[in-house]
Structure formats: structure tokens, C-alpha cells
Amino acid sequence: MTTTIKLKWLLALVMIFGGFTVYKIFEGLVHNPAYQEYEWVFKIISEFGLFISVIVSAGYFHHWFIAAEEHKEAEISLRETLSKYVDGVLLNSVKRGFLGITNKEFDFSQIMHGLKPGDYVYWLITFDPRFKNKSRELENAIKTGVHFRMLILKADCRSGELRAAETNGFNPHEFNEYSKLFKVSLEDVISRIDDTITGSLGVFVYDGLPSLPLFIIIRKESRKVEVYNSFYLTEPVSKMPYLHWETEFKSGNQELFESDHWNMSELFLDYFKKRWDMEKEKLYAAGNQDVQPEDFIHAPAAAREKCTELFTGM
């Protein structure tokens, strides 16, 4: 028992017994004929002493007996509520692979510095206006052995026009110019990647639905799939926070028919693969006139086939 608690107990006892003592003393004086003219004063003091004694006694009785039980009941109720919340939200989030939300917009530089040789990066995006100043980091990552597979939006397409219309600070002309600049920045990186480089870059230019901004990292060493995704809302995606997900990498195609077992990282990865395969099929379709040579750019130049392949886990 701490000194503070001891002092509180002492103060309570003083008030209880002191109040009762005042009550008894002045109650006796009330009935003394010698002090009859002060009877009403003594009566007030007597009643006040009794009031203090009773109130403090009742307060401590409530604190140590009734309030203690109420506290236990409240604690049990809170524990049950928290258990339901944790089971329904936190643990479910863990099962789905949710790690959190970025504090600010997507930090491309931080991600680039954390990549290791043999890692694969999948990036589905319209364009990122910041990339012109970050392209050197992409180039350095490729030169250290990282493989990038990108899906970027084609300039002057209908999807870009619709996206520009709903984005603050952009009109269709500006949006298309940024799309062109994004591709030019990637081509500039490609021009500096020769056949001695162990990393690779494959870029399909799509004209379909942007869907959602998606950045996937497959870490070869830890065999983890790390995913960052955001949403196309009214603000440019370069200013948006990203949701962060993670799961173990599973090689091969595993069909998950029950949504109870779905992990969001796996769903995002599966979606990127689907979009990538759609563009790849267009590229290799015999006599396909819809796919132009500039719709697939890659580096190194001699590794065209390799640059169309995704990570297999082998």
C-alpha cells in the first residue's frame, strides 16, 4: 500500500470518527439548558458532523464493495467487446495480409533502396509525374539485378481521357502529355541498360481500364509478396496514401474458390498476372494488327523473351 493510499485511508477515518464525535458532542450541548439560546447553532453543527460521518462512510463502502464489483463487470464487458473487435477486424486483417497504411504518398525512393538482386517488381499505373526525377533509382535497381514488369497507360486513349476528367488539376491534354513523358523516361532508362546487366525491364503499354494503382514486390530471398495499392479518386495518385499487404509467395497456380481463405496480396498478384497475360497474348497473337512495336518496350535488348516473363519461383 502506497503512502498516498495510506493518507487517504487516514483522512477518511478522521472524517468518519471526527464527524461522529462532533455530532455526539454538540448533540449533548443541544439538550443542555445552560446553552438553550445557542441550541439552533449546536443543532446545525451536530447535524453537519453526522452528515460528514455518514457520507464519507457511505462513499468508502461504495468504493470498496459496490464500485469494485461494477469495475469487474465493466472490465469483463470491455474485454468481451475488445475480443469481438480484435477477432472481427485485427485478426481478420492479419489473415487477409493487411499491414497498414502509408503515412503519406507512396515513397518510391525508400522502396527502391530496399530491393535486392533477384527481386521482381510489378507495377500497374497510369503514370507518375514524379518519376522523371526518380528514373535513376529504377535504373540503378535494374543494374543491381532487380527485374521490373510494368503496365503503363497509353497516351491519347479513351481511358486516359476519362481518368483525366475525374482528376483534380488535370485536363485531357496535360494527362496525355504526362503519359508520354512517363514512357519517354522509361525509354531513356532502357537506352542505358546493356546486355551485361543482370536485371531486366519489361513494359507493356495498355489502353484498357486503369483499375487501381498497384505496386508488387516479390522478394526472392524471403519468398514474400509485398503489395502496395491505392485508388483512383479525384486526387492524383501521386498524392494518395497506399494500403500495405504481405503474404508468403506460393509458386504455381492455386485456385481459391472460398473467399474465407483469400489473402488480398494473392488476389492483387493474380490480378496483375491476368492483366500481364492479356497484353502478352496481344503481343504474340498471329497477325494481330492492334499491337504496335512501341506497345512493348524492354531492356536488355537481347532479352525480349525474358522480359515478357513473370517470376516463377524457380
Side-chain angles (χ1 to χ4, degrees), residues 123-131 150-155 160 163-164 167 169-183 186 206 210 213 232 236-238 242:
W123 194 6
L124 171 60
I125 193 74
T126 51
F127 64 83
D128 190 328
R130 303 169 300 172
F131 183 76
M150 298 178 61
L151 292 164
I152 66 173
L153 186 64
K154 179 181 287 189
R163 175 59 188 151
T167 307
F170 285 95
N171 58 48
H173 175 72
E174 290 173 327
F175 196 91
N176 283 327
E177 289 303 309
Y178 271 113
S179 295
K180 293 175 183 177
L181 180 61
F182 191 41
K183 187 180 178 217
L186 289 170
Y206 69 91
Y232 287 118
V237 69
S238 58
Y242 274 65

Side-chain angles (χ1 to χ4, degrees), residues 291-303:
V291 179
Q292 303 298 321
E294 62 269 18
D295 287 343
F296 178 68
I297 55 177
H298 63 92

